[in-house]
Amino acid sequence: PLNIPLENITEKTASIDVSTDAARIEYIPLELTENSLIDRINDVILWNNYILISDFFRLYLYTNNGKFIRQISQRGNGPSDYIYVTDIFIDPIKESMYLLTNKKFIKFDKDFNFLQSYPIDTDEHIQARITPQGTMLIALPDLVKLHSETTPTYSLCEIDTLGNILKYYENT
């Protein structure tokens, strides 16, 4: 895919020349069904010949040619449910997908079957990323609790894919 690093563009940049990559740009129309009405696009992930689209409240799964397959999980309070999806992470090493939701991480296998979830005790928006080693780095706002541990002096922690805290990184 074509990636344009917008964060590197300054006000002095007048235009971006994509003509050299234009031959690689592909338009994929998404199948429209009663169950695939996207409110707004919050995130798009391409993985294992699938297209995942989050509209913040739902997660849609399409084939790589745009055929709608299904919604992944649903809104609710069950182990595989979410109120909203803030981020999607792919772990290519373990071939799994994680949803960062309002109160938990939800883990799915490569076929989008629910595996497990683990809680994050906060009402704050957190950010997380998968490391090349397959662990997660989580940016913590003040007083976030992971597994009932308070972390007021830390702003970053590393967890494994089971939700176990591996390391806290102190604020400096």
Side-chain angles (χ1 to χ4, degrees):
L2 174 63
N3 291 317
I4 300 172
L6 297 177
E7 64 275 4
N8 295 334
I9 297 174
T10 65
E11 293 177 6
K12 297 177 184 177
T13 305
S15 64
I16 301 170
D17 182 13
V18 293
S19 62
T20 57
D21 293 312
R24 298 187 321 186
I25 294 174
E26 182 179 354
Y27 170 74
I28 302 171
L30 300 177
E31 179 182 25
L32 182 61
T33 71
E34 188 175 305
N35 295 318
S36 67
L37 298 174
I38 299 171
D39 184 36
R40 65 185 173 126
I41 295 179
N42 186 52
D43 206 352
V44 176
I45 302 289
L46 305 174
W47 184 48
N48 284 353
N49 294 315
Y50 293 102
I51 302 169
L52 293 150
I53 298 178
S54 166
D55 73 355
F56 196 67
F57 297 108
R58 288 170 297 281
L59 186 62
Y60 303 91
L61 179 64
Y62 295 85
T63 63
N64 63 352
N65 62 4
K67 180 170 175 43
F68 178 68
I69 299 172
R70 65 182 172 99
Q71 288 186 30
I72 296 176
S73 195
Q74 62 188 3
R75 293 188 75 187
N77 293 311
S80 67
D81 299 342
Y82 49 81
I83 302 301
Y84 53 84
V85 176
T86 58
D87 218 337
I88 304 167
F89 306 100
I90 302 299
D91 183 349
I93 296 168
K94 296 187 175 75
E95 292 193 319
S96 51
M97 176 185 72
Y98 297 87
L99 301 182
L100 175 57
T101 71
N102 53 308
K103 290 282 195 177
K104 61 189 166 189
F105 279 102
I106 306 174
K107 182 178 181 180
F108 296 86
D109 67 15
K110 67 178 181 167
D111 296 316
F112 308 102
N113 299 306
F114 170 74
L115 295 176
Q116 71 182 96
S117 63
Y118 45 93
I120 301 169
D121 186 13
T122 181
D123 290 324
E124 303 290 330
H125 176 72
I126 65 170
Q127 295 180 340
R129 291 293 177 256
I130 297 277
T131 69
Q133 296 76 28
T135 60
M136 286 189 198
L137 288 176
I138 302 175
L140 302 170
D142 288 339
L143 301 174
V144 168
K145 298 176 184 176
L146 294 172
H147 303 290
S148 300
E149 295 182 39
T150 59
T151 58
T153 60
Y154 303 98
S155 61
L156 191 66
C157 78
E158 184 175 7
I159 63 172
D160 65 16
T161 55
L162 299 175
N164 300 311
I165 297 170
L166 302 174
K167 183 177 182 179
Y168 287 113
Y169 296 88
E170 289 188 40
N171 293 338
T172 55

Short mmCIF file of all heavy atoms in Angstrom, two decimals, residues 104-134:
data_model
loop_
_atom_site.label_atom_id
_atom_site.label_comp_id
_atom_site.label_asym_id
_atom_site.label_seq_id
_atom_site.Cartn_x
_atom_site.Cartn_y
_atom_site.Cartn_z
N LYS A 104 -11.20 -2.81 27.96
CA LYS A 104 -10.45 -4.06 27.88
C LYS A 104 -9.76 -4.21 26.53
O LYS A 104 -10.03 -3.48 25.58
CB LYS A 104 -11.38 -5.25 28.12
CG LYS A 104 -12.51 -5.36 27.10
CD LYS A 104 -13.51 -6.42 27.50
CE LYS A 104 -14.78 -6.29 26.69
NZ LYS A 104 -15.84 -7.13 27.15
N PHE A 105 -8.84 -5.19 26.50
CA PHE A 105 -8.27 -5.69 25.26
C PHE A 105 -9.04 -6.96 24.92
O PHE A 105 -9.32 -7.77 25.80
CB PHE A 105 -6.79 -6.06 25.42
CG PHE A 105 -5.86 -4.90 25.36
CD1 PHE A 105 -5.32 -4.36 26.51
CD2 PHE A 105 -5.49 -4.36 24.14
CE1 PHE A 105 -4.45 -3.30 26.46
CE2 PHE A 105 -4.62 -3.29 24.07
CZ PHE A 105 -4.10 -2.77 25.23
N ILE A 106 -9.36 -7.14 23.66
CA ILE A 106 -10.03 -8.36 23.21
C ILE A 106 -9.14 -8.99 22.15
O ILE A 106 -8.72 -8.34 21.20
CB ILE A 106 -11.42 -8.06 22.62
CG1 ILE A 106 -12.27 -7.26 23.60
CG2 ILE A 106 -12.11 -9.37 22.24
CD1 ILE A 106 -13.61 -6.81 23.03
N LYS A 107 -8.84 -10.27 22.33
CA LYS A 107 -7.94 -10.99 21.43
C LYS A 107 -8.73 -11.96 20.55
O LYS A 107 -9.60 -12.68 21.03
CB LYS A 107 -6.90 -11.77 22.25
CG LYS A 107 -5.90 -12.51 21.41
CD LYS A 107 -4.88 -13.22 22.29
CE LYS A 107 -3.86 -13.96 21.47
NZ LYS A 107 -2.87 -14.65 22.34
N PHE A 108 -8.39 -11.96 19.23
CA PHE A 108 -8.99 -12.85 18.26
C PHE A 108 -7.88 -13.61 17.53
O PHE A 108 -6.77 -13.10 17.38
CB PHE A 108 -9.81 -12.07 17.23
CG PHE A 108 -10.99 -11.35 17.81
CD1 PHE A 108 -10.85 -10.09 18.36
CD2 PHE A 108 -12.24 -11.94 17.80
CE1 PHE A 108 -11.93 -9.42 18.90
CE2 PHE A 108 -13.34 -11.27 18.34
CZ PHE A 108 -13.18 -10.01 18.89
N ASP A 109 -8.19 -14.80 17.03
CA ASP A 109 -7.21 -15.54 16.24
C ASP A 109 -7.22 -15.03 14.80
O ASP A 109 -7.96 -14.10 14.46
CB ASP A 109 -7.44 -17.05 16.33
CG ASP A 109 -8.74 -17.52 15.68
OD1 ASP A 109 -9.37 -16.75 14.91
OD2 ASP A 109 -9.13 -18.67 15.94
N LYS A 110 -6.41 -15.65 13.94
CA LYS A 110 -6.29 -15.18 12.56
C LYS A 110 -7.56 -15.36 11.75
O LYS A 110 -7.73 -14.75 10.70
CB LYS A 110 -5.12 -15.88 11.87
CG LYS A 110 -5.33 -17.36 11.67
CD LYS A 110 -4.17 -17.99 10.95
CE LYS A 110 -4.45 -19.46 10.78
NZ LYS A 110 -3.56 -20.09 9.86
N ASP A 111 -8.50 -16.19 12.25
CA ASP A 111 -9.78 -16.36 11.58
C ASP A 111 -10.88 -15.53 12.25
O ASP A 111 -12.06 -15.75 12.00
CB ASP A 111 -10.17 -17.84 11.58
CG ASP A 111 -9.19 -18.68 10.77
OD1 ASP A 111 -8.81 -18.25 9.66
OD2 ASP A 111 -8.79 -19.75 11.26
N PHE A 112 -10.46 -14.61 13.14
CA PHE A 112 -11.35 -13.66 13.81
C PHE A 112 -12.30 -14.32 14.80
O PHE A 112 -13.39 -13.84 15.05
CB PHE A 112 -12.10 -12.79 12.79
CG PHE A 112 -11.17 -12.16 11.80
CD1 PHE A 112 -11.04 -12.68 10.53
CD2 PHE A 112 -10.40 -11.08 12.16
CE1 PHE A 112 -10.15 -12.12 9.63
CE2 PHE A 112 -9.51 -10.50 11.26
CZ PHE A 112 -9.39 -11.02 10.00
N ASN A 113 -11.85 -15.45 15.36
CA ASN A 113 -12.59 -16.10 16.43
C ASN A 113 -12.11 -15.55 17.76
O ASN A 113 -10.91 -15.38 17.97
CB ASN A 113 -12.39 -17.62 16.40
CG ASN A 113 -12.87 -18.23 15.11
OD1 ASN A 113 -14.01 -18.03 14.72
ND2 ASN A 113 -11.99 -18.96 14.44
N PHE A 114 -13.03 -15.27 18.67
CA PHE A 114 -12.70 -14.74 19.98
C PHE A 114 -11.85 -15.74 20.75
O PHE A 114 -12.15 -16.93 20.79
CB PHE A 114 -13.99 -14.44 20.76
CG PHE A 114 -13.76 -14.11 22.20
CD1 PHE A 114 -13.23 -12.88 22.57
CD2 PHE A 114 -14.06 -15.03 23.19
CE1 PHE A 114 -13.01 -12.57 23.90
CE2 PHE A 114 -13.85 -14.73 24.53
CZ PHE A 114 -13.33 -13.50 24.89
N LEU A 115 -10.76 -15.23 21.36
CA LEU A 115 -9.91 -16.07 22.19
C LEU A 115 -10.01 -15.69 23.66
O LEU A 115 -10.19 -16.56 24.51
CB LEU A 115 -8.45 -15.97 21.75
CG LEU A 115 -8.14 -16.50 20.35
CD1 LEU A 115 -6.68 -16.26 20.00
CD2 LEU A 115 -8.45 -18.00 20.28
N GLN A 116 -9.87 -14.40 23.97
CA GLN A 116 -9.92 -13.97 25.36
C GLN A 116 -10.01 -12.45 25.43
O GLN A 116 -9.81 -11.76 24.43
CB GLN A 116 -8.68 -14.44 26.11
CG GLN A 116 -7.41 -13.70 25.70
CD GLN A 116 -6.18 -14.19 26.42
OE1 GLN A 116 -5.48 -15.00 25.87
NE2 GLN A 116 -5.95 -13.72 27.62
N SER A 117 -10.29 -11.96 26.61
CA SER A 117 -10.24 -10.53 26.86
C SER A 117 -9.67 -10.32 28.25
O SER A 117 -9.72 -11.22 29.09
CB SER A 117 -11.63 -9.89 26.74
OG SER A 117 -12.51 -10.41 27.71
N TYR A 118 -9.07 -9.16 28.47
CA TYR A 118 -8.60 -8.82 29.80
C TYR A 118 -8.84 -7.34 30.04
O TYR A 118 -8.76 -6.52 29.15
CB TYR A 118 -7.17 -9.24 30.07
CG TYR A 118 -6.17 -8.96 28.98
CD1 TYR A 118 -5.42 -7.79 28.99
CD2 TYR A 118 -5.96 -9.86 27.96
CE1 TYR A 118 -4.50 -7.54 28.00
CE2 TYR A 118 -5.04 -9.62 26.96
CZ TYR A 118 -4.31 -8.45 27.00
OH TYR A 118 -3.39 -8.20 26.01
N PRO A 119 -9.17 -7.03 31.30
CA PRO A 119 -9.65 -5.68 31.62
C PRO A 119 -8.56 -4.63 31.72
O PRO A 119 -7.41 -4.92 32.01
CB PRO A 119 -10.33 -5.87 32.98
CG PRO A 119 -9.56 -6.99 33.60
CD PRO A 119 -9.19 -7.90 32.46
N ILE A 120 -8.97 -3.40 31.49
CA ILE A 120 -8.17 -2.22 31.75
C ILE A 120 -9.07 -1.30 32.56
O ILE A 120 -10.10 -0.84 32.07
CB ILE A 120 -7.73 -1.51 30.46
CG1 ILE A 120 -6.93 -2.46 29.59
CG2 ILE A 120 -6.93 -0.26 30.77
CD1 ILE A 120 -6.70 -1.94 28.20
N ASP A 121 -8.73 -1.09 33.80
CA ASP A 121 -9.60 -0.35 34.71
C ASP A 121 -9.34 1.15 34.61
O ASP A 121 -8.61 1.73 35.40
CB ASP A 121 -9.38 -0.84 36.15
CG ASP A 121 -10.36 -0.20 37.12
OD1 ASP A 121 -11.35 0.40 36.65
OD2 ASP A 121 -10.13 -0.30 38.33
N THR A 122 -9.91 1.76 33.59
CA THR A 122 -9.78 3.20 33.42
C THR A 122 -10.91 3.72 32.57
O THR A 122 -11.47 3.00 31.74
CB THR A 122 -8.44 3.57 32.76
OG1 THR A 122 -8.37 4.99 32.65
CG2 THR A 122 -8.29 2.97 31.38
N ASP A 123 -11.26 4.97 32.79
CA ASP A 123 -12.20 5.65 31.92
C ASP A 123 -11.46 6.57 30.96
O ASP A 123 -12.05 7.23 30.13
CB ASP A 123 -13.20 6.47 32.74
CG ASP A 123 -14.15 5.57 33.50
OD1 ASP A 123 -14.52 4.51 32.96
OD2 ASP A 123 -14.52 5.92 34.64
N GLU A 124 -10.13 6.61 31.10
CA GLU A 124 -9.29 7.46 30.26
C GLU A 124 -9.00 6.77 28.93
O GLU A 124 -9.00 5.55 28.84
CB GLU A 124 -7.96 7.76 30.96
CG GLU A 124 -8.10 8.40 32.31
CD GLU A 124 -8.59 9.82 32.22
OE1 GLU A 124 -8.29 10.48 31.20
OE2 GLU A 124 -9.27 10.25 33.14
N HIS A 125 -8.73 7.56 27.92
CA HIS A 125 -8.29 7.01 26.64
C HIS A 125 -6.82 6.63 26.76
O HIS A 125 -6.00 7.44 27.17
CB HIS A 125 -8.47 8.05 25.53
CG HIS A 125 -7.96 7.58 24.21
ND1 HIS A 125 -8.60 6.60 23.48
CD2 HIS A 125 -6.85 7.91 23.53
CE1 HIS A 125 -7.90 6.37 22.38
NE2 HIS A 125 -6.85 7.16 22.38
N ILE A 126 -6.49 5.40 26.44
CA ILE A 126 -5.10 4.97 26.46
C ILE A 126 -4.67 4.65 25.04
O ILE A 126 -5.50 4.44 24.17
CB ILE A 126 -4.85 3.77 27.40
CG1 ILE A 126 -5.59 2.53 26.89
CG2 ILE A 126 -5.23 4.09 28.82
CD1 ILE A 126 -5.21 1.27 27.61
N GLN A 127 -3.37 4.60 24.85
CA GLN A 127 -2.82 4.23 23.56
C GLN A 127 -1.92 3.03 23.76
O GLN A 127 -1.28 2.89 24.81
CB GLN A 127 -2.02 5.38 22.96
CG GLN A 127 -2.88 6.57 22.64
CD GLN A 127 -2.06 7.70 22.05
OE1 GLN A 127 -0.86 7.78 22.19
NE2 GLN A 127 -2.74 8.61 21.37
N ALA A 128 -1.85 2.17 22.76
CA ALA A 128 -1.03 0.96 22.87
C ALA A 128 -0.49 0.59 21.50
O ALA A 128 -1.06 0.97 20.48
CB ALA A 128 -1.85 -0.19 23.44
N ARG A 129 0.60 -0.14 21.50
CA ARG A 129 1.21 -0.63 20.26
C ARG A 129 1.81 -2.00 20.50
O ARG A 129 2.32 -2.28 21.58
CB ARG A 129 2.32 0.31 19.76
CG ARG A 129 1.83 1.64 19.26
CD ARG A 129 1.00 1.47 17.99
NE ARG A 129 0.46 2.71 17.53
CZ ARG A 129 -0.81 3.08 17.67
NH1 ARG A 129 -1.66 2.34 18.28
NH2 ARG A 129 -1.23 4.23 17.19
N ILE A 130 1.77 -2.85 19.47
CA ILE A 130 2.42 -4.15 19.51
C ILE A 130 3.90 -3.93 19.21
O ILE A 130 4.24 -3.21 18.27
CB ILE A 130 1.82 -5.10 18.45
CG1 ILE A 130 0.35 -5.37 18.73
CG2 ILE A 130 2.60 -6.40 18.34
CD1 ILE A 130 0.07 -6.44 19.73
N THR A 131 4.78 -4.57 19.98
CA THR A 131 6.22 -4.49 19.72
C THR A 131 6.62 -5.59 18.74
O THR A 131 5.86 -6.55 18.53
CB THR A 131 7.02 -4.66 21.03
OG1 THR A 131 6.87 -6.01 21.49
CG2 THR A 131 6.57 -3.68 22.10
N PRO A 132 7.79 -5.50 18.16
CA PRO A 132 8.25 -6.57 17.27
C PRO A 132 8.36 -7.93 17.98
O PRO A 132 8.30 -8.97 17.35
CB PRO A 132 9.63 -6.10 16.81
CG PRO A 132 9.57 -4.62 16.94
CD PRO A 132 8.70 -4.35 18.13
N GLN A 133 8.48 -7.92 19.30
CA GLN A 133 8.56 -9.15 20.08
C GLN A 133 7.18 -9.72 20.41
O GLN A 133 7.08 -10.78 21.03
CB GLN A 133 9.34 -8.93 21.38
CG GLN A 133 10.79 -8.54 21.17
CD GLN A 133 10.96 -7.09 20.74
OE1 GLN A 133 10.14 -6.23 21.05
NE2 GLN A 133 12.02 -6.83 20.00
N GLY A 134 6.13 -9.01 20.06
CA GLY A 134 4.79 -9.50 20.30
C GLY A 134 4.20 -9.09 21.65
O GLY A 134 3.13 -9.54 22.01
#
